[in-house]
Amino acid sequence: GQNIDQPTEMTATEGAIVQINCTYQTSGFNGLFWYQQHAGEAPTFLSYNVLDGLEEKGRFSSFLSRSKGYSYLLLKELQMKDSASYLCAVGNTGGFKTIFGAGTRLFVKA
Amino acid sequence: GAGVSQSPSNKVTEKGKDVELRCDPISGHTALYWYRQSLGQGLEFLIYFQGNSAPDKSGLPSDRFSAERTGGSVSTLTIQRTQQEDSAVYLCASSPTGSTNEKLFFGSGTQLSVL
């Protein structure tokens, strides 16, 4: 089957670092995406990993281990505006669609 | 240019009525997707269009749901005889070629409420 798991909710403090994990099992793999979705808004692209390792982009970094079916999104120097849902998604070669996890709601507190 | 445009942004309907949701993708994008997002849930794939190819309808939850894409651009998602469980946000997305290593560009969605 196809499955993407990530924690439902996380809480972190402004200025801190938070890591959001994602594990996946899919019939095909063509890269892993992270999207950010603020309440009531459309998801927006954050990162894409297709090779193992860490991709850094400003305060956000994303890691991938294909052998473990595992990824994480690392957010540094948290700001209140980072409070949002973070969606892990896999580009699936077994069909032309991207499969999404249920998302992790991140609450950043002062 | 403009992003993905969806209309209406909100739709309230009575159980049993038909509704049409519209999506205007980014110009030049050949791939168009419909997803459904229920409250607090992830994105559920509904249907995918790629150029002139037959659409992938594998995610449509019942035969009450249908979609078309005219001229390789605008798409309409139709839900017949709406049920309360159809209440959700319907998101449309497009991408340049439809390859699954491309990021998706999402519209703001249509919030459908079935009373």
Side-chain angles (χ1 to χ4, degrees):
Chain A
Q2 312 211 75
N3 198 43
I4 299 177
D5 288 318
Q6 49 183 134
T8 304
E9 287 186 1
M10 298 182 72
T11 300
T13 304
E14 192 176 17
I17 299 173
V18 70
Q19 177 174 313
I20 304 174
N21 296 323
C22 171
T23 58
Y24 64 89
Q25 288 180 303
T26 57
S27 59
F29 181 81
N30 198 15
L32 188 137
F33 299 83
W34 286 95
Y35 287 83
Q36 180 190 59
Q37 185 178 26
H38 285 101
E41 298 182 11
T44 55
F45 170 80
L46 284 178
S47 68
Y48 172 73
N49 294 65
V50 67
L51 299 177
D52 291 351
L54 187 68
E55 295 275 346
E56 298 188 71
K57 190 186 298 184
R59 294 190 299 114
F60 292 11
S61 303
S62 55
F63 172 84
L64 176 67
S65 169
R66 289 171 295 170
S67 63
K68 296 181 180 179
Y70 168 68
S71 173
Y72 67 73
L73 180 69
L74 193 71
L75 291 75
K76 303 175 186 176
E77 301 169 15
L78 280 172
Q79 302 175 9
M80 300 297 287
K81 67 178 182 180
D82 297 330
S83 293
S85 287
Y86 291 85
L87 305 174
C88 175
V90 171
N92 188 21
T93 56
F96 292 95
K97 56 184 176 281
T98 301
I99 303 168
F100 284 81
T104 297
R105 293 179 65 191
L106 175 66
F107 299 93
V108 180
K109 59 182 182 180
Chain B
V4 178
S5 178
Q6 291 188 245
S7 62
S9 55
N10 280 282
K11 177 70 177 179
V12 180
T13 190
E14 295 179 349
K15 179 182 173 181
K17 300 283 190 182
D18 297 352
V19 295
E20 284 190 353
L21 313 180
R22 175 188 169 105
C23 172
D24 201 341
I26 292 173
S27 178
H29 281 194
T30 62
L32 185 149
Y33 306 76
W34 284 97
Y35 286 88
R36 178 169 71 175
Q37 187 173 33
S38 300
L39 189 63
Q41 301 298 309
L43 275 65
E44 174 190 6
F45 168 77
L46 297 178
I47 188 168
Y48 162 81
F49 295 91
Q50 167 55 30
N52 296 320
S53 301
D56 177 352
K57 303 179 181 180
S58 60
L60 294 178
S62 78
D63 59 7
R64 297 186 295 105
F65 287 72
S66 62
E68 62 178 21
R69 188 179 184 191
T70 54
S73 182
V74 172
S75 177
T76 302
L77 177 69
T78 301
I79 309 174
Q80 295 178 310
R81 304 181 303 281
T82 52
Q83 304 294 313
Q84 288 184 333
E85 61 262 29
D86 299 334
S87 296
V89 175
Y90 289 81
L91 289 165
C92 175
S94 69
S95 69
T97 70
S99 174
T100 52
N101 62 358
E102 288 177 340
K103 65 181 179 182
L104 302 181
F105 295 81
F106 284 88
S108 297
T110 294
Q111 172 73 64
L112 176 65
S113 300
V114 182
L115 305 180

